[in-house]
Amino acid sequence: MANDKELFKYLPLTEATCYILLALIEPLHGYGVMQKIEQLSKGTVIVGPGTLYGAFSTLEKDGLIIKVGEEDRRKSYTLTSKGKSILQEHLRRVEILTGNAKLLKGE
Amino acid sequence: MENQTIRKYKLFFAWNDDKEEAWLSKMAREGWHLQSLGFPGSFTFTAGEPREDVYRLDFIINRKDYQQYLQLFRDAGWEHVGEVGGWQYFRTRKQGNQMPEIYTDNASKAQKYARVIMPLIIFLPIFINLATRPVSMESRYYDFYSITKLVMSFIIMLYTYAMVRLLVRINRLKK
């Protein structure tokens, strides 16, 4: 679980990081993550290999994701419990935010 | 028949690597495709059909995951053309109006330039030490030391300039 200090460090997640974590709810390798993000975001978010490679090393170092396998030079990662709790807290806040979208519609 | 090749010499600065990318794309449009890299600033091109290629440069010196790193780029449709001094040269075909990118946000692009600065910072104290070391007038290597000190001072100035330019680039990306 992530404590308050850690939550403060990571939140809010960038759109790319949020999608990377979402894609890693199940184990995937790099290119799988890229395809999954394009599909989940309906093409609104594209993550390039340079960005993804850097994100993988940072997220792994910080213990938000963990390597679960390697096949043909392709490493697979998945979320850790810490990564999951940070993602959950982020999504909780985003839901509150998008709930406020009605203000713009004048409801 | 063997393909015609040409060698070109051109120096680009690390903080202007997008100019280098644009130049490589321009060469490809004229039918000259990057084949290999020699020492920094030396490019070998091979003749072929003109192509709308996109070139992108990355910087990485950590060898630990190098094969995995290259595989990720290959999977994403980037051909690794070569490497010189940590600079990785990638190329892909341009599709439609969308410009393919290896870095899709400014934060990760800023990290690339931060990685370029790192080796500069590591070597700087060595050069400063060599440049400021006191030399005895009686030493029989006095001339040699003096020239070394001069060269080192020049390198330090160049380094400092490069670091400032890279930091400016990073700051602009972070805005």
Side-chain angles (χ1 to χ4, degrees):
Chain A
M1 285 302 284
N3 57 37
D4 285 353
K5 203 176 150 197
E6 281 171 336
L7 287 178
F8 187 75
K9 182 180 167 192
Y10 296 107
L11 297 181
L13 299 170
T14 65
E15 205 176 16
T17 311
C18 183
Y19 271 114
I20 291 168
L21 294 179
L22 272 172
L24 290 176
I25 287 174
E26 52 179 26
L28 271 180
H29 61 69
Y31 186 54
V33 170
M34 293 171 69
Q35 289 173 306
K36 185 85 177 280
I37 291 174
E38 204 172 341
Q39 174 210 333
L40 288 174
S41 73
K42 303 189 169 87
T44 59
V45 177
I46 304 279
V47 177
T51 299
L52 187 63
Y53 183 78
F56 272 171
S57 10
T58 314
L59 293 171
E60 190 184 20
K61 202 177 78 215
D62 289 351
L64 271 66
I65 63 171
I66 187 168
K67 188 182 139 185
V68 286
E70 184 172 340
E71 208 179 314
D72 301 331
R73 298 182 298 275
R74 292 178 183 91
K75 287 186 187 183
S76 306
Y77 293 92
T78 197
L79 277 187
T80 61
S81 60
K82 180 181 165 187
K84 203 168 181 178
S85 66
I86 286 169
L87 180 61
Q88 271 164 346
E89 177 59 15
H90 173 79
L91 293 175
R92 191 181 74 86
R93 294 179 187 198
V94 168
E95 264 172 39
I96 295 169
L97 177 68
T98 49
N100 283 307
K102 60 177 180 286
L103 290 174
L104 189 63
K105 290 172 190 155
E107 281 170 26
Chain B
M1 201 185 88
E2 205 167 289
N3 261 346
Q4 194 190 346
T5 61
I6 49 163
R7 184 173 288 177
K8 288 221 168 203
Y9 301 96
K10 211 169 159 80
L11 271 179
F12 292 92
F13 292 111
W15 55 90
N16 272 343
D17 59 340
D18 29 12
K19 282 193 181 149
E20 186 168 350
E21 293 166 352
W23 177 66
L24 292 169
S25 295
K26 185 177 148 265
M27 292 295 289
R29 274 198 303 278
E30 292 165 2
W32 292 104
H33 307 293
L34 184 63
Q35 185 194 51
S36 59
L37 301 138
F39 57 88
S42 148
F43 304 82
T44 305
F45 294 91
T46 163
E49 289 294 308
R51 280 205 311 257
E52 285 289 332
D53 279 354
V54 177
Y55 282 85
R56 287 290 177 264
L57 269 60
D58 195 8
F59 184 82
I60 190 157
I61 40 175
N62 185 354
R63 296 272 120 183
K64 206 181 89 214
D65 285 335
Y66 192 57
Q67 289 309 318
Q68 288 81 354
Y69 163 84
L70 293 179
Q71 187 62 47
L72 179 60
F73 278 72
R74 258 196 299 274
D75 286 347
W78 292 88
E79 178 195 350
H80 185 249
V81 190
E83 181 204 355
V84 54
W87 288 93
Q88 315 294 327
Y89 288 70
F90 292 101
R91 136 176 93 204
T92 194
R93 207 68 58 85
K94 197 177 169 189
Q95 297 147 345
N97 288 325
Q98 204 177 5
M99 188 60 100
E101 294 294 347
I102 60 171
Y103 286 103
T104 39
D105 58 39
N106 285 343
S108 55
K109 202 164 184 185
Q111 277 170 7
K112 167 178 130 179
Y113 294 108
R115 283 199 299 275
V116 180
I117 291 185
M118 276 310 284
L120 301 183
I121 293 172
I122 291 166
F123 281 110
L124 198 58
I126 300 169
F127 293 140
I128 291 176
N129 178 291
L130 286 170
T132 55
R133 187 184 288 248
V135 181
S136 152
M137 287 288 281
E138 280 96 61
S139 168
R140 50 201 278 244
Y141 301 114
Y142 181 76
D143 287 344
F144 172 73
Y145 280 135
S146 305
I147 291 167
T148 309
K149 283 178 95 164
L150 214 68
V151 171
M152 288 305 152
S153 308
F154 178 71
I155 292 177
I156 291 166
M157 283 196 297
L158 208 68
Y159 258 48
T160 314
Y161 182 65
M163 275 196 255
V164 169
R165 292 298 300 255
L166 285 164
L167 286 170
V168 167
R169 183 90 211 243
I170 291 169
N171 263 320
R172 223 174 276 157
L173 284 166
K174 279 186 175 164
K175 256 173 211 153

